[in-house]
Amino acid sequence: MAPPGLWADASYTPVIAEIEMPSAAEVAWLIPLLPLVGAVVVGLGLISFNRTVNRLRQPVALLLISCVGGSAALSYAALFEQLKGAGSYTSLFNWASAGSFNLEMGFQVDPLGAVMLALVTTIALLVMIYSHGYMAHDKGYVRFFTYLALFSSSMLGLVISPNLLEIYVFWELVGMCSYLLVGFWYDRDGAAHAAQKAFVVNRVGDFGLLLGILGLFWATGTFDFEGIATGLSASMANGQVAGWAAVALCLFVFMGPMAKSAQFPLHVWLPDAMEGPTPISALIHAATMVAAGVFLVARLEPLYNLFPQVLAVIAVIGTITCFLGASIALTQMDLKKGLAYSTVSQLGYMMLAMGCGAPVAGMFHLVTHAFFKAMLFLGSGSVIHAMEEVVGHEPVLAQDMRLMGGLRKHMPITAITFFIGCVAISGIPPLAGFWSKDEILGQAFGSFPLLWAVGFFTAGMTAFYMFRLYFLTFEGSFRGTDTAMQAVLLAAAGKGGSEEEHGDHHHASTPHESAWPMTLPLVVLAVPSVLIGLLGTPWDSRFAGLLNPEEAAEMAAHFSWGEFLPLAGASVAISVAGITVAVLAYSLHKLDLATAVAARFPSINAFLANKWYLDAINDKIFVQGSRKLARQVLQVDSKVVDGVVNLTGLVTLGSGEGLKYFETGRVQFYALIVFGGVIGLVVIFGVLG
């Protein structure tokens, strides 16, 4: 209270303490926590009150969407602060200590992390809205949303991790969640095998990543990103670590991104992962999980810049992946797998940028690709959802483009947004894909001309196979009621059976447009697919200005229309050439590629149709090889180990049975045995001499 008389004094003003609100960066720990809390609450409900919680579909969906929406709001706020020049914010606490060793955990928000936070939460939020329509009639609806929230939490935790060890923890959580999501329909053999394959292949990469992390800690004494680079440089300078060992450690760490971002030869899991629900393909196989590897390489830029040879390896692997994915996509008839191999190819472009020492270009393509590829995957889900009304719920039929065609008339929103995605990924200006892909090719042209040539040719292949997908799906006449083709496809897949077996009661004459929960995310994603690339124009790159202002200023200062136009024009020209071939072959039907290419080069066609035989090699060496090894180990266990154990038991049993007759309880008898033993020893020693 104020002293007496002060209230009458007009000059007196009561002092009210101002409460300073924390910035978005200071409360960034809430971003992964909110979806985690939602997932835990619903998960505990499923464990304790399964039937009740499963009946509360809409309240559960609303709760989890709200949690992810809250994370998205905080992520946008953090990004806005970074755009205003707030700078990096790191909060650490001592998690464990032993002597002079201190292990710190916490969170970090910087421009790179803020961009990823906004991207992940945006895609996750739209995918959850989409899933409300796509999974509406699935009995695992609540479980699916719980997995989505848990995955989102893990990915967001990975993004804000301030050191390699914490990243590894969330890295494994992301892998666990992807296993649950890919194998969501676990009663399907294809989904179960795909989940196992994804898990095993990623464990190969993760083992290398763990070895690299531990090796770098041994060499530098820290898990901090900047500290590792400076520490390793110092250790090499004073001779504590040999150059070849440092290179090996960097390559071990790169094995993690190789698996997560589906780089050759650890890419084999991603196409098979399309067995999961389509929203999962859009979330983890277009914008989040597969982007984690590229993100980690960008985080470790100070480390990789020390070793040009490591950057060269990354660039070569990225280029091989880029070409491999595009070439296999040329022959795919499964809509989702065509998009999956497209994702493999585009991830190769991102790694090519990283290997060229241009992480900003790689991250820019990651962002643009996330929007249009998520839109394409969700569009494919809309198509599959509509096809199931005609051909039933058999994926062999619902996902094969030979049964599609003419869907533009029935699904105009899906068709338009899918077309926008095709134009964007083909690199046609001014859509998003042009600016990011052109920047990567420009960097490759200056660093590795040969790799640029491969990437340049791949751009034409990309345009061709994407418009091939579009024309086969949306143009021409509808082929979904062709029962003869259905029988051929089922027989080829080894799934022959009656029509009732394949869901004849679901049949309709024509497909129809999806409901608004599925079309709304498509429309929303179409906007950044068109416009977001304008943030990365080389003469005024706001994206580069956020991640690396010095690089952005240098780009603007050295920009030349004379250098830009020839490379950009060539990139657009080869994309237009690819689109033209697709139009002639699949729209106007003026070109018969089956006769002109497949029949003339059957070995090449078989090579591509069999996915470079990499799946067969993987199955022969790793799957069958590991099973053979397991059987041999089982034989050793059963015959040798179990034999020794059983023999020991048998000897013990026999000796016990024999000795029990000597246990009489009479002292005289025991004395007699001792006396007999002594006499026996005397006789033996006497005979021996």
Side-chain angles (χ1 to χ4, degrees):
M1 292 184 61
L6 285 183
W7 289 113
D9 188 353
S11 64
Y12 175 76
T13 304
V15 178
I16 301 175
E18 294 184 3
I19 301 175
E20 185 178 353
M21 295 295 292
S23 65
E26 292 175 336
V27 295
W29 55 273
L30 287 171
I31 296 175
L33 183 64
L34 289 175
L36 177 62
V37 170
V40 169
V41 169
V42 177
L44 291 175
L46 284 173
I47 295 173
S48 305
F49 312 99
N50 186 273
R51 293 184 179 180
T52 303
V53 174
N54 273 311
R55 287 197 294 266
L56 301 174
R57 291 180 164 229
Q58 292 190 358
V60 167
L62 182 61
L63 170 65
L64 297 179
I65 290 174
S66 300
C67 291
V68 175
S71 297
L74 287 173
S75 300
Y76 300 149
L79 179 60
F80 184 69
E81 290 175 356
Q82 294 297 317
L83 290 170
K84 292 197 302 182
S88 299
Y89 178 85
T90 303
S91 177
L92 301 173
F93 65 92
N94 193 22
W95 187 65
S97 61
S100 60
F101 169 76
N102 291 306
L103 179 58
E104 292 183 319
M105 296 290 189
F107 63 93
Q108 169 183 303
V109 178
D110 61 355
L112 178 62
V115 169
M116 284 296 296
L117 287 174
L119 178 66
V120 171
T121 53
T122 300
I123 301 298
L125 182 61
L126 291 173
V127 165
M128 294 185 84
I129 295 172
Y130 180 94
S131 300
H132 175 63
Y134 190 88
M135 304 293 292
H137 303 291
D138 196 285
K139 62 182 182 181
Y141 178 96
V142 174
R143 178 167 58 92
F144 183 76
F145 269 80
T146 306
Y147 290 169
L148 280 180
L150 186 60
F151 173 85
S152 301
S153 174
S154 302
M155 187 65 201
L156 293 168
L158 187 153
V159 170
I160 65 172
S161 296
N163 57 58
L164 265 178
L165 183 62
E166 191 170 333
I167 271 191
Y168 184 78
V169 173
F170 286 105
W171 189 274
E172 292 298 322
L173 287 173
V174 167
M176 180 198 71
C177 294
S178 70
Y179 174 80
L180 296 174
L181 288 166
V182 171
F184 179 77
W185 289 319
Y186 53 84
D187 52 344
R188 298 181 182 178
D189 290 340
H193 294 158
Q196 293 172 7
K197 188 175 184 178
F199 185 82
V200 172
V201 174
N202 275 276
R203 294 295 73 72
V204 173
D206 295 353
F207 180 69
L209 175 61
L210 181 60
L211 287 179
I213 291 173
L214 296 177
L216 288 173
F217 178 77
W218 163 78
T220 64
T222 181
F223 294 109
D224 181 68
F225 302 116
E226 294 287 344
I228 285 174
T230 57
L232 189 60
S233 181
S235 297
M236 291 173 60
N238 58 31
Q240 292 181 351
V241 178
W244 66 266
V247 170
L249 291 176
C250 291
L251 292 176
F252 275 131
V253 171
F254 180 63
M255 285 182 63
M258 279 179 64
K260 253 328 178 264
S261 292
Q263 299 297 294
F264 172 85
L266 299 179
H267 69 282
V268 293
W269 68 270
L270 193 146
D272 288 1
M274 296 301 107
E275 292 287 345
T278 301
I280 300 310
S281 303
L283 179 61
I284 68 178
H285 302 140
T288 53
M289 176 180 166
V290 295
V294 180
F295 170 77
L296 180 58
V297 176
R299 269 280 185 238
L300 294 172
E301 177 196 6
L303 174 66
Y304 286 125
N305 282 342
L306 298 174
F307 306 98
Q309 59 270 54
V310 175
L311 290 178
V313 170
I314 294 174
V316 170
I317 289 177
T319 305
I320 295 173
T321 305
C322 170
F323 180 77
L324 176 146
S327 63
I328 296 176
L330 296 174
T331 60
Q332 293 298 305
M333 297 305 300
D334 185 295
L335 180 58
K336 285 179 67 177
K337 287 195 175 181
L339 293 175
Y341 281 107
S342 171
T343 299
V344 172
S345 180
Q346 298 304 307
L347 289 167
Y349 273 114
M350 299 172 204
M351 284 300 181
L352 171 60
M354 297 296 171
C356 293
V360 173
M363 288 301 302
F364 186 39
H365 195 57
L366 185 154
V367 172
T368 60
H369 173 263
F371 286 111
F372 57 68
K373 184 54 65 72
M375 180 176 64
L376 287 168
F377 268 118
L378 294 182
S380 72
S382 179
V383 169
I384 294 167
H385 191 265
M387 287 294 298
E388 287 176 343
E389 298 294 326
V390 179
V391 301
H393 292 272
E394 172 56 59
V396 171
L397 304 179
Q399 297 176 192
D400 199 295
M401 292 182 289
R402 285 168 288 193
L403 291 175
M404 299 177 186
L407 296 184
R408 177 172 56 86
K409 303 174 185 176
H410 307 287
M411 308 176 70
I413 298 175
T414 302
I416 292 171
T417 53
F418 200 95
F419 180 81
I420 292 172
C422 291
V423 176
I425 196 173
S426 298
I428 304 299
L431 274 73
F434 165 76
W435 303 103
S436 56
K437 190 180 293 185
D438 183 73
E439 188 174 346
I440 293 174
L441 291 176
Q443 294 286 347
F445 186 81
S447 302
F448 304 101
L450 180 60
L451 302 186
W452 167 83
V454 177
F456 174 76
F457 182 68
T458 302
M461 295 166 61
T462 301
F464 168 76
Y465 70 68
M466 286 307 305
F467 274 86
R468 172 181 176 267
L469 294 180
Y470 174 79
F471 289 127
L472 286 175
T473 304
F474 294 99
E475 301 297 336
S477 58
F478 181 62
R479 301 178 293 274
T481 55
D482 188 344
T483 55
M485 178 58 70
Q486 293 183 23
V488 169
L489 296 177
L490 288 172
K495 295 184 177 182
S498 65
E499 290 188 348
E500 289 78 9
E501 184 180 340
H502 297 288
D504 183 61
H505 60 282
H506 292 291
H507 287 191
S509 58
T510 57
H512 59 83
E513 185 65 272
S514 301
W516 73 265
M518 296 174 64
T519 55
L520 177 62
L522 295 176
V523 175
V524 173
L525 287 168
V527 177
S529 298
V530 175
L531 299 177
I532 200 169
L534 299 175
L535 297 176
T537 55
W539 57 85
D540 183 23
S541 179
R542 298 179 183 178
F543 188 85
L546 175 62
L547 297 189
N548 193 334
E550 296 177 358
E551 180 178 333
E554 185 178 352
M555 288 171 57
H558 292 87
F559 176 76
S560 170
W561 287 103
E563 295 179 0
F564 172 74
L565 289 177
L567 288 174
S571 176
V572 174
I574 196 166
S575 295
V576 171
I579 295 172
T580 302
V581 174
V583 170
L584 292 173
Y586 299 103
S587 180
L588 302 178
H589 303 287
K590 300 287 187 182
L591 180 63
D592 187 0
L593 293 178
T595 303
V597 179
R600 186 172 298 180
F601 307 101
S603 57
I604 296 177
N605 185 69
F607 182 72
L608 298 179
N610 288 282
K611 310 166 188 174
W612 288 29
Y613 297 103
L614 291 173
D615 280 347
I617 294 171
N618 173 74
D619 183 73
K620 185 73 174 177
I621 297 176
F622 295 104
V623 178
Q624 295 184 23
S626 60
R627 289 176 178 174
K628 184 178 180 180
L629 178 62
R631 285 193 295 268
Q632 292 175 346
V633 171
L634 181 62
Q635 290 293 322
V636 173
D637 179 71
S638 60
K639 293 183 177 179
V640 178
V641 179
D642 288 352
V644 171
V645 173
N646 293 335
L647 179 62
T648 304
L650 194 62
V651 170
T652 304
L653 178 64
S655 61
E657 285 291 326
L659 288 174
K660 75 178 183 180
Y661 296 104
F662 295 94
E663 297 289 334
T664 63
R666 297 179 179 179
V667 179
Q668 299 90 335
F669 183 72
Y670 296 153
L672 180 63
I673 292 175
V674 173
F675 180 75
V678 172
I679 296 297
L681 290 173
V682 170
V683 172
I684 292 171
F685 284 115
V687 174
L688 295 176

